[in-house]
Amino acid sequence: MLKFILRRFALLVPTFLGITIVAFGFVRILPGDPVLLMAGERGLTPERYQRLLEEFGYNRPLWQQYIDYLGDLLRGDFGNSFVTKQPVLSEFFTLFPATVELSVCAMVIAIIVGIPAGIVAASKRGSFWDQSIMGTALVGYSMPIFWWGLLLIIVFSGWLGWTPISGRISLVYFFQAKTGFMLIDSLLSGQDGAFLSALRHLILPSLVLATIPLAVIARQTRSAMLEVLGEDYVRTARAKGLSTRRVVGLHALRNAMIPVITVIGLSVGTLLAGAILTETIFSWPGIGKWMVHSISRRDYQVVQGGLLLIAVIVMVVNLLVDMAYGLINPRIRHN
Amino acid sequence: MTHLLDIRKLCIDFQSASGLFRAVDSIDMHCDSGEILAIVGESGSGKSVAMLAMMGLLPWNAKISAERMLFDGHDLLGLNKRERRRIIGKDIGMIFQEPMSSLNPCFTVGFQIGESLRLHLGLKGARKRERSIALLRQVGIPAPETRLSAFPHQLSGGMCQRVMIAMVLASNPKLLIADEPTTALDVTIQAQILELLLSLQREKDMALILITHDMGVVAETAERVQVQYAGQKVEEQNVRSLFSAPRHPYTAALLASLPERARTRGKLPSIVGVVPGQFDRPPACLFAPRCAQAKSVCNENVRQQGAAHGHALCNFPLEYTK
C-alpha cells in the first residue's frame, strides 16, 4: 500500500509540470500585451514601456521566462494580481474556503442522495422507481447550470420567498472570519440565527452545484450495482441466509463502490468548473467568481495562478480517490 | 417414514422475452440424513435450477410450483422470505461451481466465515475467531490463524472451495448441496475436495446432494443417483445397479460414452442430436428423437416405470437377464 501511494505521489510531478506549461502557455497565447493592458487607457511612453517589460521579464526568451516562473512557483510565489497588487496565493486562500464550503455541501448532497437512489433503481430494476429515478437523473444531467440556478432562484427566492437570493449570510450579522467557513464561523460567533441564515444561503447554490454530480453518481451506482448483483459472491451471501439489506448494502455495495468512487473523484473537477457558474449566479464570494472577474479584467497573473491552483487541487483529490480505492478494494492494495 | 428433503412434482418456468421456458418439469426428489444423492445430467438439464429454487436463490422471472416441498418438516413453499432465511444457510448449506468468484473479493476469509457464525450461532469476538480457526482446520487449511486475514484472491481455487465448505459447515447444516464443487478445479484437487466432502458427510451424518455431470465422481461418491434430462428425472437407482444395469436408454448411452467404459477401440460412442430447446420439445418422451429404442408410441405418451425398472421415464426400459 505504501509503495502504491509513493508511486502515485511520484506521478504527480510530471502532471504538475504539464499543468504549469498549460497555465503558462495559456496566458502567453491570449491576444493583447499584458504591459499595455496594465497601463490602461492613458498609454505609456516608449521608455517606460521598455522599463516595465524588463521589470516583468517579458523581453526575455520564453523558455527563460518559464524557468523563472517555475522557480517562483517552487518558492511559493504565484505572482501578484495586476489589479489589486495583492499576491495571488493570499487572494486565493482568502476566497477558497467559501468555494470549499459550497463544493463540500454539494458533494455531500450528491453522495447521500445519489448512491441510495442508484441502489434503489438497481434493486428494483425496470420498475416505476427505476425509471423515474433514471429519468430524473438524465434531466438533471442535461440541465444547463445557469438556467437551472436562475429557475430555482425565481421559484424558491422569488415566488415562495423561502431562501435568500444571493450571498453567504444576511447582512445583519457581522463577525470576524476565523476559519473562512461561514457555517462554522456563524456558530462560533454565538449570534442568534446566524447559523440558520448561513445555512439558508447555502441551500440553493449547493443544490444547483450538486445536480450534475448527483445524476452521474446515481447512474453509475445503478449500473455498478446491477453488474455486482449478478455475481457469484452475491448468490453465496444470499445462500448464507443473510438479509437482503445486508446482501445489497454490504456485500454488493462494497464491490459496486469501486467505480462509483472513481466517478466521485472525477466529479470534483466538474464541481470546481460548475462552481464558476454557480458562484457567479448566486454572487458567492469564492474562487469561481474571482476567476470570472479576473478574466473579464484581463488579470492574467490571477488567471494563471488560479488555474494552476485549481488544477493542483483536482490532482490532490484524485490522489486521495486512488488511495480510497486501495482501502475498498484489497486486490489493488496487494498488487 | 418422512424424508429430510421431500419434493414432489417441482416445476420451474422462466419468463423470457420469447415466452415461458420450462427448466424443471415435475421432478420428484427426496433425500435422507446421512445419505449421498447424486444428480447427474448434462448442462441445462435443470440440476442446479431445482436446488437454487429450493434455496430461494432464483431471479424474479422464475415461476416455481410444486405439489410438495418439505424440508425437515417445514413447508418451504409456504415460508415467507424471513422464515426461509432461518433455514437457508443454517440447516441447508450450498457450495458452488466457481469457488474463486463465489467468495466476496472485498472481505477477508475470517469475515465471511464469521458472518455465518454470528448470524446462525450468535457467536462473537474471541469465540467466533476460535470457531473459525477450528473450521478452517477441519477443512484442511494449513496455518488457519494467518488465513483468517487473507483475501480470496490470495488463495488458490482449491483453498477457496475449502473456505466455502468451512463457511457452510459453520452452522452445522443438516443438508449440504454441492453444485459441481470440483468442476473448476485441477484433477488432483478435485479428488481432495471430494474426499473432504465425503469425510465431513460421514462425520456429521449430513445429507449430501451432489450435482455433477461427471459419472466418475458419481461412481466414487454417491449412494443413490438421479439422472436428469431436459428438466425431467428420467431414472433413479442406487449407484451400483445404475452402473451395472441402467434402465433408461439415455443413462445407458451416457455410460457407454465414458472413455473408461468404451468396449471398442476407435471412435467413442456418442448420443446423436442435441437436448431439445424451448421450441422443439417433443410431445411425449423428451429423449425419443435421440433414442435408438424409440417407437412411434414414444411420441404419443411416456410411462413412468416402477422401482424394479429404476423409475425410468421410458416406455421400453432396458431389460437384463441374470
Side-chain angles (χ1 to χ4, degrees), chain B residues 215-235:
Chain B
M215 279 291 185
V217 169
V218 175
E220 280 166 41
T221 52
E223 293 161 0
R224 196 155 51 83
V225 187
Q226 166 167 337
V227 182
Q228 284 186 210
Y229 179 78
Q232 292 182 335
K233 181 168 92 170
V234 294
E235 178 161 4

Side-chain angles (χ1 to χ4, degrees), chain A residues 14 64 69 82 127 157 161 200 276 283 326 330:
Chain A
Q64 230 169 26
Y69 166 63
F82 289 153
S127 68
S157 311
R200 276 161 46 108
I276 292 180
S283 294

